[in-house]
Amino acid sequence: MYNPLLLPEVREMLDSGDDAGLIEFCTALHPGVVAEVIEGLSNEDIWRVLSHCDVNSRVQIFTFFDLPKQEDLVTTTDRKRVSALLEEMAPDDRVDLLERLDPKHVDLLLPLIAQAERSDIRKLLSYPENSAGSIMTTEYASLPQEITVEESLRRLRRIAPDRETIYYVYVLDDQRHLHGFVSLRQLILAKPEAIVADIMDHDVISVNVSDDQEDVASMLGRYDLLAIPVVDDHNCLVGIITHDDVIDVIQEEATEDAHRAGAVEPLEDSYLSTPILTITWKRGIWLLFLFTVAQGISVVVDSYKEISEHVEWMGTFIALVIATGGNAGSQSAALVIRTLALGEAGPSDWLRIAAREAAMGLMFAVVLSTLGFFPAWGLQGWDAAIIVSATVAIMVMWGSMIGAMLPIVFKKIGMDPALISNPLVAAIVDFTGILVYYEFAQFWLTPVVETLPH
């Protein structure tokens, strides 16, 4: 919203060499607004603008660019400028960026970074992708348990500028084992002579460094925390994950689920930032699979061509029968996938979910088969009404069960339930729906079928 209004002025300041104006532009506006405005400039001009602010402001503005833009910027400027920027970035933000860069480029940058930051980068890069360790920051506040509140506050004032958050302060021993935590509010309200060990909370909710980031986001939301500590297998504190990082995870996971629900392999970057060939490939995989299923449906329909030729109305109701079952299955899949994602149920609840879907499927079957009975009767007579209404009832119940159970099966075997996309469920139900439709028709119309030529 700010780009069209301010971008021409920024270009004019660059062209006229208005250093004072550029300094005011960088400092007077929110870093996010500055990033939004200058993103429309060339990479060279972006760096020219960033050179007019101090390193802290430069880092804040830079981190508001999306990752593809950050990658583009750091690969089109000299390594010395990039290394100075990386040293001041938050550990989790710089690791997110470095993971996208070519390893050879990273190897050239690391020697230019201070030893402490370099060691931190190597450690964070070693954690598996999408794990708690890969999104945590090591800039947390900690205290020993034997000091007073007064001494604690003095220490926090000293270390606060270099910490991501000081609202939660973690209590550690000399080996960095996590014993508890104390909030800044507790420290402020406590008596100065009180000992940290006496006011800290011993029941610490933490996650392991190898836990999945989606589980971490769920846990932080469940307990309404601003940050959550990350420990190793020995209960030593190695970092924290803050609420802003969890918001990014939630958005990322929600985007992945939305893509998969539409039968698209998730994109790593935004739609407009992703090359057309990449999107084509990610969509094409699923389209090819669904096309193959559709071909299978065509083969099944063709195998019943004799009955179709002699009972001409059969083709009239194909779309009604298979679409109803597919829609019911897609609804069930969407509900169960979201339920599993929120942790409201798990594979162990499959029987309860199956019972609920069976009950709902039965109610839908009664209503929809009744609605299908009378139009079929009016158009094609008694036989058509029986076949269509019975098939609709069977497919609604079958679709509901398939849509509900497949995500649970995927969750049980360790796969992402979101892989069960709506088009996939619809394709499976469509395929079985055709079989049920024609087989039931053959059963019901046995006298007619027996008269067909063989």
Side-chain angles (χ1 to χ4, degrees):
M1 61 181 289
Y2 294 95
N3 192 306
L5 300 175
L6 297 178
L7 185 58
E9 294 187 24
V10 175
R11 291 187 191 277
E12 185 177 343
M13 286 188 284
L14 286 170
D15 292 338
S16 62
D18 185 0
D19 293 338
L22 288 170
I23 292 172
E24 184 178 1
F25 167 72
C26 291
T27 55
L29 297 176
H30 187 279
V33 175
V34 176
E36 182 182 341
V37 173
I38 66 177
E39 192 168 12
L41 299 172
S42 66
N43 289 347
E44 181 181 354
D45 285 342
I46 290 176
W47 283 115
R48 285 178 61 193
V49 173
L50 292 178
S51 67
H52 287 82
C53 52
D54 62 76
V55 65
N56 289 329
S57 298
R58 193 178 308 147
V59 167
Q60 290 180 37
I61 296 169
F62 183 82
T63 52
F64 273 99
F65 293 120
D66 58 26
L67 283 172
K69 185 63 177 179
Q70 291 183 21
E71 180 183 5
D72 188 34
L73 284 169
V74 301
T75 53
T76 55
T77 190
D78 62 275
R79 295 195 297 272
K80 185 176 180 181
R81 175 184 280 172
V82 175
S83 62
L85 189 74
L86 289 172
E87 282 188 5
E88 299 301 323
M89 288 178 68
D92 49 341
D93 290 334
R94 66 186 172 208
V95 167
D96 287 342
L97 173 58
L98 290 173
E99 284 178 335
R100 298 179 60 92
L101 300 180
D102 185 277
K104 293 181 180 179
H105 193 75
V106 175
D107 290 338
L108 292 173
L109 285 172
L110 287 180
L112 302 178
I113 298 174
Q115 176 62 39
E117 283 73 19
R118 187 161 67 244
S119 300
D120 187 65
I121 289 171
R122 292 189 187 280
K123 182 175 71 173
L124 293 179
L125 284 173
S126 67
Y127 295 118
E129 187 178 4
N130 297 329
S131 66
S134 68
I135 61 171
M136 72 180 184
T137 179
T138 54
E139 294 180 340
Y140 56 83
S142 64
L143 293 169
Q145 57 184 336
E146 66 275 3
I147 64 174
T148 64
V149 168
E150 184 178 13
E151 173 62 20
S152 298
L153 291 173
R154 277 201 298 266
R155 293 192 184 191
L156 287 178
R157 291 190 191 98
R158 187 171 63 253
I159 65 174
D162 299 323
R163 298 296 182 265
E164 180 132 345
T165 179
I166 59 169
Y167 186 78
Y168 293 143
V169 184
Y170 300 97
V171 182
L172 313 176
D173 59 23
D174 294 338
Q175 286 75 43
R176 310 202 67 77
H177 292 114
L178 181 60
H179 291 281
F181 77 99
V182 60
S183 69
L184 184 60
R185 176 186 175 86
Q186 287 175 299
L187 289 173
I188 292 173
L189 295 178
K191 295 180 179 179
E193 64 274 12
I195 303 299
V196 170
D198 295 332
I199 64 171
M200 71 177 185
D201 290 311
H202 295 269
D203 185 18
V204 186
I205 297 170
S206 62
V207 295
N208 188 273
V209 71
S210 60
D211 286 349
D212 186 87
Q213 62 178 14
E214 193 170 1
D215 296 333
V216 174
S218 176
M219 184 175 294
L220 191 141
R222 185 184 306 129
Y223 295 105
D224 293 327
L225 301 173
L226 295 177
I228 193 165
V230 183
V231 298
D232 61 16
D233 294 335
H234 304 290
N235 198 42
C236 293
L237 185 63
V238 293
I240 62 171
I241 297 173
T242 55
H243 67 284
D244 56 327
D245 296 318
V246 166
I247 290 174
D248 293 338
V249 170
I250 292 171
Q251 290 180 335
E252 178 185 333
E253 297 292 343
T255 301
E256 287 185 4
D257 290 349
H259 287 166
R260 284 178 172 145
V264 177
E265 189 66 19
L267 307 180
E268 294 182 5
D269 301 321
S270 68
Y271 172 77
L272 293 178
S273 300
T274 304
I276 290 177
L277 288 179
T278 302
I279 298 179
T280 302
W281 170 254
K282 289 179 177 291
R283 292 176 61 182
I285 295 173
W286 276 101
L287 283 176
L288 181 61
F289 175 77
L290 296 173
F291 179 77
T292 303
V293 174
Q295 281 186 317
I297 294 174
S298 299
V299 171
V300 172
V301 172
D302 184 67
S303 68
Y304 292 99
K305 62 183 177 182
E306 290 184 351
I307 188 172
S308 297
E309 290 171 356
H310 289 78
V311 187
E312 295 180 354
W313 56 260
M314 289 287 294
T316 305
F317 299 101
I318 287 179
L320 172 66
V321 170
I322 65 176
T324 305
N327 291 337
S330 297
Q331 286 184 329
S332 296
L335 289 169
V336 173
I337 288 171
R338 191 58 185 159
T339 298
L340 294 174
L342 294 174
E344 296 172 353
S348 61
D349 298 303
W350 71 271
L351 194 57
R352 288 180 59 197
I353 294 173
R356 292 171 66 87
E357 288 298 323
M360 287 185 284
L362 181 60
M363 288 187 283
F364 291 140
V366 171
V367 173
L368 295 176
S369 62
T370 302
L371 292 176
F373 179 88
F374 293 104
W377 188 19
L379 291 172
Q380 299 296 339
W382 173 258
D383 287 333
I386 292 295
I387 292 170
V388 169
S389 61
T391 307
V392 166
I394 293 170
M395 292 317 301
V396 167
M397 295 190 66
W398 170 247
S400 298
M401 294 302 295
I402 284 292
M405 292 298 103
L406 279 179
I408 294 176
V409 171
F410 272 50
K411 181 76 171 180
K412 181 67 175 179
I413 62 178
M415 297 179 66
D416 188 350
L419 288 170
I420 303 298
S421 66
N422 290 338
L424 176 59
V425 172
I428 294 172
V429 177
D430 289 352
F431 187 86
T432 54
I434 288 293
L435 290 172
V436 171
Y437 181 51
Y438 278 103
E439 286 296 325
F440 186 81
Q442 283 188 333
F443 166 76
W444 186 260
L445 300 172
T446 299
V448 177
V449 174
E450 289 176 349
T451 64
L452 297 180
H454 295 284

